[in-house]
Amino acid sequence: MMKLTTILAAYILLMLSGCSTSEQQPNGNYYQDINTLTSIAGKPQYLASPFVTAGDRVYIIGHQDGSFPELGWHIEGEMGGVWDHPIKLMDGFAAQLRVGESTLCLNEADAFTNYPLANCHHFSWAQENIEVERIQFIPDGLEGAIVEFRIMNKAEESKTVSFAFTGMIDLRPTWLGERTNMLDAEDEIAFDKKSSAIIAKDRNNPWYTMFGSTFIGDFSTSENSCVNTQRKGLGKNGTLSYSLAIEANSEVTIPVFMAGSYASEEKLRLTYETLKSQGREKLLQKIARYKNITRTAQLTIPDKDIEQMYDWLKYNTDWLIREVPEIGTGISAGLPDYPWWFGGDAVYTLQGVLATGSHEIAKKTILLLHTISQNTNNNGRIIHEVSTNGAVYNPGNVNETAQFVTLVYHYYQWTGDKELVVKLFPDIKKSLKWLLEERDPDGNHYPNGSGMMEIPGLESELEMIDVAAYTQQALASAAALASALDDPDTAAEYQTLADELKASINTEWWNPKENSFGDFRGTMEEAIPILKAALVRSDTLGKSWAVAQLKATEKQLQKIGSHRSTPHVIYHNWVVNTPLETGIADPDKAKAALKTAKTYENPYGVFVTGIDRTTEPDSVVLKSRKKTFSYTGAVMTLPTGVQAVAAAKYGTADDALEYISKLHQSFSYALPGSMYEVSPDFGMMTQAWNIYGVAVPIINYFFGIQPSAYTKSVSISPNLPSHWKEVSIKNVRIGDNALSLTIMQKNDHLEYHIAQTQADWQVLFHVNRTAEKLIVNGNEIDVMSIADQPLKLSGNKMEVAIYGIP
């Protein structure tokens, strides 16, 4: 017990001292600016797991211990390293210290700290009384990165230290590169004496990388003992060595600049010189931008852990911005294996992005997906997945087209950007035509084809619940867009279809026996093969309860007419809750479905496939991590987030907060400051859609902010979790307006303080009809006088006090 306590105390001391500041020194010292930022320390048990240093052009992926093992499955073993899409620059890098005959490889860090825009790895060399910090960041808009090594001599005597930096060069194309004639060739390296840097080029392509320092170094191609020699590909290693004299109780910082280009050596050298000459300026610019991200839609709530997660999810989203000028700019799906663009991922992600104020990147992502979809399909269908070289892997699942229509409406609500809506609306009409004609052979307005579930049998030409729900939502969204564009006939046509579809989903998709909407609709003949596959899956996974349930369902199927289509609940997939997420479900059905959904959860959230549910406590954590990538048995952040939105939409704020709290169980679990795709520590180490399940329930439903930028108005109808007594959200961007809302629970009343930068905008404030007394801007108003209408307020500052609400 004494030994364990001593180790713990030492670790806490290390956390407090790691990545610390010191007096200003010349030659950069980027760490001093980075250390002014908020940070989260990693866990020792996750040092051998991935981290990312992100930029919009370049990113670095390795392990938190400072090593660069082969990572990823999309291009097997190649998804880590240094990427400048659509090419890779390096498999990583290795650094080595030598004092006399003693050597330290900087690939076994004893601590890792994450910052919103940088990282720090801490190394201890007790033998030589030396500590080292490796800090890296990526400037905005540049094809390059800056890595700084801070070498601290804690000894009472001076030391001469040899520092070697090896770039593990591997210039190679992105996934699907062969489809655009991107063919890898052997890399060639040379030493540029003038800049004291190494330059590498792919033999057959204009793909370059370059790295060096402000220090003068010696060049070598000999093997560095700290380099992983088991690398794949056609790359080469290049090493720069530096001799450093470090005084007693002093330190030296040595920056390394890494640049890339997939166009020309001229562009490569320009980037490299910019990094060297403007590195600190670029860092300060990025710090200022991140502070603005923090201040926009800035949340203050009693649950400080959730408040922290909310802030970092905004940073996470920024990490995933991927710019390839020849293709476009947009938020990618996740890292390390999904660094490109997806239709389905974007439609969830951008709802959170819009709510938290990043309207510009939302627009760029929408335009990127629209342009690529037009070039690929030209019929309104939205693509599913496109690599960073422009090669489309999947032209689009059916749900993505429907969801894209609604996304455009959300964008219009938040921004009021009529120009973009006018541009896209002709293709929105094409999208709905594709859904309701080409994808709906029986004309019942339930498009046939694949939705969000990637399960054999549910990728077929059946009618899927999520496709139906999102199609209804798309029709209602298109009706609102048409109305805003002064096209009443089209608006009426779409709204009629939306109303009819809402009614039919509630009658034809509801399974009263299961208290759930069906996974899919089909005949007995169509359902039996899917049920058989589910039985095999459950039996293979040892889920005896699911096997028994599925056998009972099989008996029920025998009672259904062979040609009658009915809703089937077989897999209990999370998508059965999309009618709740979209607000389609009748209130009584929503209440029952929300209760049913709780059967298919664990402490981290909602199972992707309900029949995979385990009864073992915390099995995701206790069992060894999966060796083969698979979503079988997964609890994922998207289903949990969808359930949070659904609960919030139907007024159960405490339940919605519970789902958000489940999401928080995975926050910083493995990578500090991030949340994995599969809870708590599997799949992508950071995932774009995570912001959806946190920001949307909080902003749109807890605070009740519903924007209408195109009418210069905003509706406010708060519904807070029961223990949130004093909360605020500041600088919520809605068009050219910025709204702030503070809510305070007093002894006998609720106070609402509203501020906005545009005084002429109308605020529609909804008052609970059970209120006994209402005071607006100091004046009492008869509650009954406003009937069922919201209060219509305007001005820069407004105050509402409501008395008598239970």
Side-chain angles (χ1 to χ4, degrees), residues 546-665:
V547 171
Q549 187 179 89
L550 288 167
K551 286 183 176 179
T553 301
E554 187 175 21
K555 290 181 180 179
Q556 291 295 320
L557 278 177
Q558 308 300 328
K559 301 176 182 179
I560 299 173
S562 60
H563 299 293
R564 180 184 164 209
S565 287
T566 57
H568 300 285
V569 185
I570 290 178
Y571 280 100
H572 292 278
N573 293 310
W574 67 270
V575 293
V576 299
N577 298 308
T578 52
L580 287 65
E581 175 205 12
T582 55
I584 294 170
D586 293 337
D588 58 335
K589 293 182 175 67
K591 183 178 180 180
L594 285 168
K595 183 177 180 180
T596 299
K598 291 186 176 295
T599 306
Y600 304 102
E601 302 171 5
N602 77 1
Y604 298 96
V606 177
F607 282 89
V608 174
T609 298
I611 61 171
D612 292 351
R613 186 198 71 204
T614 180
T615 56
E616 299 171 28
D618 295 350
S619 63
V620 178
V621 182
L622 298 176
K623 290 183 178 178
S624 61
R625 300 169 79 181
K626 305 177 184 73
K627 301 297 182 183
T628 304
F629 190 87
S630 170
Y631 290 117
T632 301
V635 169
M636 289 180 69
T637 52
L638 179 61
T640 308
V642 164
Q643 206 63 10
V645 171
K649 185 161 287 191
Y650 283 89
T652 57
D654 284 344
D655 286 345
L657 183 60
E658 182 181 348
Y659 286 111
I660 294 172
S661 298
K662 287 178 182 290
L663 289 172
H664 183 266
Q665 291 276 77

Side-chain angles (χ1 to χ4, degrees), residues 713-733:
S713 66
V714 56
S715 174
I716 299 178
S717 183
N719 182 30
L720 296 178
S722 57
H723 72 277
W724 285 14
K725 304 302 183 184
E726 186 168 335
V727 299
S728 71
I729 190 161
K730 297 180 179 179
N731 303 315
V732 178
R733 289 183 66 194

